[in-house]
Amino acid sequence: MKVLVAVKRVIDYNVKIRVKADHSDVDLTNVKMAMNPFCEIAVEEAVRLKEKGVATEVVAVTVGPKAAQEQLRTALALGADRAIHIETDERAESLAVAKLLAKVVEEEQPGLVVLGKQAIDTDNNQTGQMLAALTGLPQGTFASEVAVDGDKVHVTREIDGGLQTIALTLPAIVTTDLRLNEPRYAKLPDIMKAKKKPLDVKTPADYGVEVASKVSLLKVESPAERKGGVKVASVDELIDKLKNEAKVL
Amino acid sequence: MSILVLADLHEGQLAGATAHVVAAAQAIGGDIDVLVAGEGVQAAAEAAAKLDGVSKVRVADNAVYAHQLAEPMGALLAELADGYTHVLASASTTGKNVLPRLAALKDVSQLSDVIAVDSADTFKRPIYAGNAIATVKSDDVLKVITVRSTGFDAVGTSGSATVEAVDVVVDNSQSSFVKEELAQSDRPELGGAKVVISGGRGMGNGENFKLLDGIADKLGAAIGASRAAVDAGFVPNDMQVGQTGKIVAPDLYIAVGISGAIQHLAGMKDSKVIVAINKDDEAPIFQVADYGLVGDLFEILPELESKL
């Protein structure tokens, strides 16, 4: 079974973001970029499926600017066999990315597609679900456990208040939550080897997909700053303040 | 304008989040219908009919909608969406699972986690884990939106909407429900609690989380945790408050032994009153806390419990 894994280049999760002075967007100039953390978990899961003998080939795909090839090389260093880069400098929203991925699914016919549940820049949490709808495939979102069993996959999902397990027919779409696995680090020899693995470059036009979205970003602002309050000296003072000043007790 | 709100269910009953989503629909303006889909959901439909501002409750009660699996729910919504200008759902795990599917089936974008309505086509939503707020305008004919319930005050329950059955039944041979393990607790649900008390790495181990129990009982509070406490294995992930966990905005939030990493603050900084208890007086949590108490939590917690 072939496994397709989608990755996204985003701002490194440790970086404190800055809003541009003209409020047009977040400032990404000279900011450290990395693979989206949920995508790292997706790559790890795909590679583990290969190590278990469930997957025969792992194909990594990304939609983004030329620099996004760095994240594909990371995926290759972590164990993906080959990569597809759909190059665009436009801001590709979830629907456009899902349409492009649907074309790749049509071409590659994977048994399983693994994606991160959301990217930590736009926080949309949409692409996997949209891809499932467009390909007419079932979805197991927010996965904390994935078990392939014959022609089915059992996915345990992190839902509000607990866990839900569902069974899906294959092929299927899975999106990863935090507890699914702990991604490995790429080793230096693997990073060297990854440079020689095949990486195809395509454009949205090759797939006949229009990237432009009907949603426009009007403004980006910093959230209202919360001011620190006072330090209290004792439990008694705390209770007094909560009762008489904040009136929440 | 004509808006369809997908009701959120919890174990077959109407979840509190729905009243917040209806409030968001009122901010948009227009006729508001609520769709209750599931199996054995008459009680939930009756509860939805009482929500202020709702004109009609549409009930799809069929085994195929049990557990609100994404495939049949997406197909049902796609059938019903025509004629509406907006489809709204709570940004719960159900709403997030189903609404993007509807949007893709209708070839429109989806807006996630909306926290404010500027107009019928312009909305505010947090990006970068709430470290920036984006104002976005949608020119799609159908606006598909998930609503973060903390952004809108719940509507009242003095309404009397009509209830009508929806006879659309879709096929689903692709997905099936296997099992559910929901945390059993007498405490309020984390997302909707008026008071939340959370423990962090400073709690030391999972056993020590019991120190929060007595206080939570006295305050009617839900118990949460920081990502660090979850990663350390002290408590399960469904207790996590933060960017990658639950977003909460209670009247009172008490952070115990939590340093205040950006990722935690993203999940609780909209709380009305924040109390921080930490032994490190330089901890970043004190920069957002209304009331800070520096000291050993193992001494402070029992004292707090006895004096409440």
Side-chain angles (χ1 to χ4, degrees):
Chain A
M1 178 174 81
K2 191 192 284 184
V3 176
L4 184 68
V5 58
V7 300
K8 184 176 184 185
R9 174 184 174 86
V10 297
I11 191 165
D12 185 276
Y13 77 100
N14 284 313
V15 173
K16 192 164 170 21
I17 62 135
R18 285 186 318 269
V19 170
K20 283 186 186 170
D22 65 359
H23 295 295
S24 60
D25 207 339
V26 164
D27 194 351
L28 295 181
T29 344
N30 299 323
V31 165
K32 188 180 173 207
M33 304 293 280
M35 189 191 291
N36 178 45
F38 290 103
C39 302
E40 286 182 341
I41 297 172
V43 173
E44 176 68 30
E45 195 64 17
V47 171
R48 287 189 191 185
L49 284 171
K50 192 177 173 195
E51 288 167 349
K52 276 190 239 165
V54 176
T56 49
E57 187 186 25
V58 175
V59 181
V61 56
T62 195
V63 178
K66 184 151 190 81
Q69 286 186 14
E70 286 169 28
Q71 280 62 50
L72 285 178
R73 291 292 172 200
T74 303
L76 292 169
L78 292 169
D81 298 293
R82 61 187 171 87
I84 302 167
H85 177 211
I86 305 174
E87 190 176 338
T88 176
D89 288 326
E90 278 190 78
R91 191 167 53 94
E93 297 269 356
S94 299
L95 182 63
V97 173
K99 284 180 179 175
L100 288 165
L101 295 178
K103 296 286 185 187
V104 176
V105 167
E106 198 181 305
E107 222 169 67
E108 297 282 341
Q109 297 287 320
L112 197 66
V113 186
V114 191
L115 307 87
K117 75 165 179 179
Q118 76 189 64
I120 60 164
D121 48 5
T122 55
D123 284 331
N124 271 346
N125 194 334
Q126 298 171 2
T127 306
Q129 296 89 312
M130 287 179 159
L131 174 62
L134 294 174
T135 51
L137 295 177
Q139 68 190 46
T141 52
F142 329 141
S144 66
E145 203 184 328
V146 175
V148 177
D149 179 15
D151 58 353
K152 289 207 164 177
V153 58
H154 283 245
V155 179
T156 301
R157 309 176 53 231
E158 306 253 353
I159 60 166
D160 294 333
L163 296 172
Q164 179 192 63
T165 305
I166 53 174
L168 309 173
T169 54
L170 291 172
I173 312 289
V174 167
T175 76
T176 63
D177 216 319
L178 279 179
R179 286 196 299 176
L180 181 58
N181 60 49
E182 226 170 280
R184 70 195 70 186
Y185 293 98
K187 297 193 193 83
L188 189 60
D190 293 332
I191 295 171
M192 302 310 288
K193 262 189 260 170
K195 290 181 181 164
K196 297 204 177 75
K197 288 186 180 176
L199 190 157
D200 272 354
V201 181
K202 305 266 196 179
T203 65
D206 293 339
Y207 296 102
V209 171
E210 189 62 56
V211 172
S213 155
K214 289 212 164 123
V215 173
S216 37
L217 185 60
L218 300 185
K219 191 166 61 176
V220 174
E221 299 159 289
S222 292
E225 282 283 317
R226 194 177 176 110
K227 283 199 280 290
V230 296
K231 293 243 173 76
V232 293
S234 67
V235 169
D236 291 313
E237 191 187 347
L238 175 64
I239 292 176
D240 176 65
K241 294 267 192 197
L242 290 176
K243 272 191 179 142
N244 301 315
E245 194 175 88
K247 299 192 195 318
V248 287
L249 286 187
Chain B
M1 239 95 57
S2 157
I3 303 168
L4 181 64
V5 170
L6 172 64
D8 222 28
L9 304 179
H10 185 72
E11 296 186 314
Q13 300 299 310
L14 190 72
T18 311
H20 297 263
V21 182
V22 170
Q26 282 186 324
I28 294 168
D31 275 343
I32 303 169
D33 290 352
V34 173
L35 171 66
V36 179
E39 186 185 24
V41 290
Q42 282 307 321
E46 280 157 31
K50 294 201 177 78
L51 295 177
D52 289 345
V54 176
S55 18
K56 189 165 66 182
V57 175
R58 308 181 71 181
V59 191
D61 199 332
N62 190 287
V64 77
Y65 305 123
H67 306 289
Q68 300 193 309
L69 298 183
E71 298 75 19
M73 290 294 291
L76 171 67
L77 279 166
E79 283 272 326
L80 299 181
D82 294 332
Y84 290 102
T85 54
H86 299 70
V87 176
L88 270 56
S90 128
S92 63
T93 48
T94 304
K96 287 179 171 175
N97 195 33
V98 173
L99 254 58
R101 234 182 133 96
L102 164 69
L105 291 172
K106 291 293 180 191
D107 195 24
V108 296
S109 294
Q110 193 230 290
L111 302 178
S112 297
D113 282 302
V114 162
I115 53 167
V117 174
D118 282 4
S119 72
D121 62 9
T122 305
F123 307 90
K124 285 194 165 58
R125 57 175 303 263
I127 54 175
Y128 293 89
N131 290 304
I133 307 296
T135 305
V136 290
K137 178 169 181 285
S138 163
D139 290 325
D140 278 315
V141 284
L142 176 69
K143 275 96 174 151
V144 180
I145 295 167
T146 61
V147 173
R148 189 175 282 189
S149 43
T150 52
F152 301 88
D153 290 333
V155 296
T157 53
S158 52
S160 56
T162 56
V163 179
E164 68 169 40
V166 170
D167 54 11
V168 179
V169 177
V170 300
D171 285 331
N172 177 28
S173 55
Q174 292 184 316
S175 61
S176 57
F177 173 82
V178 177
K179 63 175 178 180
E180 218 158 61
E181 296 157 61
L182 297 179
Q184 293 304 323
S185 169
D186 297 332
R187 298 220 166 81
E189 196 222 337
L190 198 50
K194 294 251 184 286
V195 182
V196 173
I197 180 164
S198 291
R201 205 199 305 266
M203 298 299 293
N205 59 48
E207 186 68 15
N208 290 338
F209 264 73
K210 288 191 180 140
L211 291 169
L212 304 179
D213 284 349
I215 299 170
D217 287 342
K218 286 196 168 168
L219 297 176
I223 298 183
S226 69
R227 167 95 185 262
V230 172
D231 282 348
F234 297 174
V235 290
N237 190 44
D238 56 9
M239 287 173 65
Q240 190 197 143
V241 172
Q243 173 189 349
T244 50
K246 295 270 185 329
I247 311 284
V248 302
D251 293 340
L252 173 61
Y253 187 90
I254 306 175
V256 184
I258 291 176
S259 64
I262 295 175
Q263 102 86 29
H264 185 72
L265 301 184
M268 45 64 85
K269 65 183 164 53
D270 292 328
S271 305
K272 290 205 176 78
V273 175
I274 296 175
V275 170
I277 299 170
N278 204 301
K279 66 172 193 272
D280 172 12
D281 68 354
E282 300 280 309
I285 190 79
F286 289 119
Q287 290 164 20
V288 300
D290 299 282
Y291 304 106
L293 182 52
V294 179
D296 182 355
L297 64 91
F298 297 104
E299 288 166 19
I300 292 171
L301 289 176
E303 186 185 347
L304 182 61
E305 182 183 341
S306 70
K307 287 180 172 165
L308 277 169

